[in-house]
């Protein structure tokens, strides 16, 4: 088939699909992706299977619908599909849930193909935008169509109730582990632990930066007076983990030793999550990773506008 590039084997497809799991955490490592998948399987074997199928579907969609060859080999077209497939499986409830999840995976990959080139010309990272759009549209459809049903246990992510009394002593380690798990919309110590291990396998900085992001958001949220139970669930941490890795590591062209901008960006995800929740919750929509996108793009734009801002502050310390 002229104009198309081909996988050498099914083994390559699986490897690239596993990379999709690592790309959710902004990594490019098949072994780390396998560990993440294992964590999801230990939480729910069927959910793990659907996540893998979603990644494979997204990867194939990128391949046959004009996606970049290098991006396909790095699992780029799989990570939004994984998140979209998992979201549909968790948020919707009907006999054809698995089929809707695969359609969502295809839709997320198509959005990546269509938007990637447009945004790349403007040096704007796509991040998890396709996942958010596909998930929100799926939920809106479920509210309007009788054939689709919202899972009765569905609750919006990152509930920003700032008036709850702070009772008890929060557990930072619990918030760290569950926080990284919540990136995949999963409340599981097994999944969170293996995802954290996967981060360190990909590189010590990934693990350390994820820990720093959790600590910063944990401290910010606690100082603002959030409920301890919500803090321990990691609902205020997962956006900060992604933001810290993105701003402090992946998009830091200067490779500063001290990721000051990343720390600020991670802290900002907490109030952003609060604001987004106030806007989205009345419409029955979860915050998902929208605080990660907003904070990351805001600080990347700031870095372009004031390129010496971070280095000047570090020099003064």
């Amino acid at each position: 088939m002229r104009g198309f590039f081909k996988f050498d084997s099914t083994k390559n497809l699986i490897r690239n699909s596993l990379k999709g799991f690592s790309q959710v955490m902004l990594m490019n490592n098949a072994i780390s992706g396998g560990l993440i998948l294992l964590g999801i399987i230990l939480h729910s074997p069927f959910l793990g299977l659907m996540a893998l199928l979603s990644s494979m579907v997204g990867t194939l969609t990128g391949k046959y619908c004009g996606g970049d060859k290098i991006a396909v080999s790095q699992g780029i077209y799989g990570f939004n599909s994984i998140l979209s497939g998992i979201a549909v499986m968790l948020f919707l409830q009907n006999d054809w849930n698995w089929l809707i999840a695969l359609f969502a995976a295809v839709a997320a990959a198509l959005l990546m193909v269509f938007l990637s080139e447009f945004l790349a010309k403007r040096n704007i990272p796509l991040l998890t935008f396709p996942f958010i759009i596909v998930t929100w549209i799926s939920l809106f459809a479920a509210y309007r169509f009788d054939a689709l049903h919202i899972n009765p246990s569905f609750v919006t992510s990152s509930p920003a109730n700032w008036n709850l009394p702070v009772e008890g002593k929060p557990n930072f380690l619990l918030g760290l582990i569950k926080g990284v798990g919540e990136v995949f919309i999963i409340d599981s110590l097994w999944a969170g632990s293996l995802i954290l291990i996967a981060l360190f396998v990909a590189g010590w900085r990934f693990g350390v930066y994820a820990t720093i992001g959790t600590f910063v958001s944990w401290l910010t949220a606690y100082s603002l007076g959030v409920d301890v139970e919500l803090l321990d669930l990691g609902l205020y941490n997962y956006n900060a983990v992604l933001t810290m890795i993105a701003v402090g590591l992946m998009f830091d062209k200067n490779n500063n030793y001290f990721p000051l901008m990343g720390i600020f960006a991670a802290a900002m995800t907490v109030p952003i999550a609060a604001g987004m929740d106030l806007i989205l919750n009345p419409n029955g929509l979860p915050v998902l990773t929208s605080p990660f996108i907003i904070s990351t793009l805001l600080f990347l734009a700031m870095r372009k506008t004031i390129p010496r801002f971070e280095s000047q502050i570090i020099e003064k310390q």
Side-chain angles (χ1 to χ4, degrees):
M1 294 177 65
R2 243 174 235 187
F4 288 89
F5 52 91
K6 299 181 179 180
F7 288 105
D8 293 331
S9 64
T10 302
K11 181 179 178 181
N12 287 336
L13 171 60
I14 294 175
R15 181 172 62 249
N16 295 338
S17 298
L18 288 178
K19 286 183 179 181
F21 286 88
S22 68
Q23 288 289 353
V24 174
M25 306 301 296
L26 304 170
M27 303 180 294
N28 180 25
N29 189 298
I31 296 177
S32 294
L35 288 172
I36 294 172
L37 174 59
L38 178 59
I40 298 174
I41 291 175
L42 290 176
H43 172 67
S44 169
F46 186 61
L47 186 63
L49 173 62
M50 289 307 304
L52 177 59
L53 290 176
S54 295
S55 185
M56 296 176 71
V57 165
T59 301
L60 290 172
T61 300
K63 171 190 174 183
Y64 289 110
C65 294
D68 178 74
K69 180 178 180 179
I70 295 177
V72 171
S73 67
Q74 293 176 343
I76 297 295
Y77 297 104
F79 76 93
N80 273 290
S81 296
I82 292 169
L83 294 175
S84 299
I86 290 177
V88 167
M89 292 300 298
L90 294 178
F91 294 159
L92 302 185
Q93 187 177 60
N94 55 69
D95 295 336
W96 297 97
N97 219 28
W98 62 273
L99 184 59
I100 299 173
L102 294 180
F103 273 118
V106 171
L110 287 175
L111 271 178
M112 290 204 70
V113 172
F114 296 151
L115 294 176
S116 291
E117 185 175 354
F118 173 79
L119 294 179
K121 292 179 180 179
R122 292 156 179 79
N123 293 319
I124 301 175
L126 188 55
L127 304 176
T128 54
F129 183 73
F131 152 59
I132 291 175
I133 294 301
V134 169
T135 301
W136 285 350
I137 290 176
S138 299
L139 289 172
F140 273 135
Y143 290 134
R144 297 295 295 176
F145 300 125
D146 292 336
L148 302 177
H149 304 283
I150 297 292
N151 189 328
S153 63
F154 164 70
V155 291
T156 55
S157 303
S158 297
N161 191 339
W162 303 98
N163 297 319
L164 290 174
V166 180
E167 298 179 354
K169 186 177 181 180
N171 188 320
F172 170 73
L173 181 59
L174 188 63
L176 168 63
I177 295 175
K178 289 203 171 185
V180 293
E182 286 290 347
V183 173
F184 290 83
I185 328 175
I186 294 174
D187 177 16
S188 167
L189 287 175
W190 273 113
S193 298
L194 283 171
I195 294 171
L196 186 59
I197 292 173
L199 286 164
F200 280 100
V201 168
W204 67 267
R205 286 196 177 188
F206 284 101
V208 170
Y209 279 37
T211 304
I212 293 174
T214 297
F215 177 74
V216 169
S217 59
W218 183 88
L219 188 61
T220 302
Y222 184 69
S223 65
L224 290 175
V226 304
D227 181 63
V228 170
E229 182 180 356
L230 300 179
L231 198 56
D232 287 344
L233 286 173
L235 295 179
Y236 293 100
N237 301 336
Y238 69 95
N239 277 293
V241 168
L242 292 174
T243 303
M244 183 68 197
I245 294 175
V247 178
L249 183 59
M250 295 305 299
F251 300 122
D252 184 7
K253 295 181 180 180
N254 296 324
N255 196 23
N256 291 317
Y257 181 75
F258 186 72
L260 183 63
M261 197 73 90
I263 290 175
F264 286 157
M268 278 300 298
T269 60
V270 177
I272 290 175
M276 291 299 295
D277 185 72
L278 291 176
I279 296 172
L280 297 173
N281 190 46
N283 295 311
L285 297 178
V287 171
L288 301 176
T289 54
S290 58
F292 155 58
I293 292 178
I294 294 172
S295 184
T296 297
L297 295 183
L298 176 64
F299 278 84
L300 290 182
M302 184 184 301
R303 180 175 280 159
K304 291 180 181 179
T305 304
I306 315 175
R308 297 182 181 178
F309 170 76
E310 189 172 10
S311 59
Q312 288 175 350
I313 293 180
I314 295 174
E315 289 175 0
K316 292 179 182 179
Q317 291 181 343

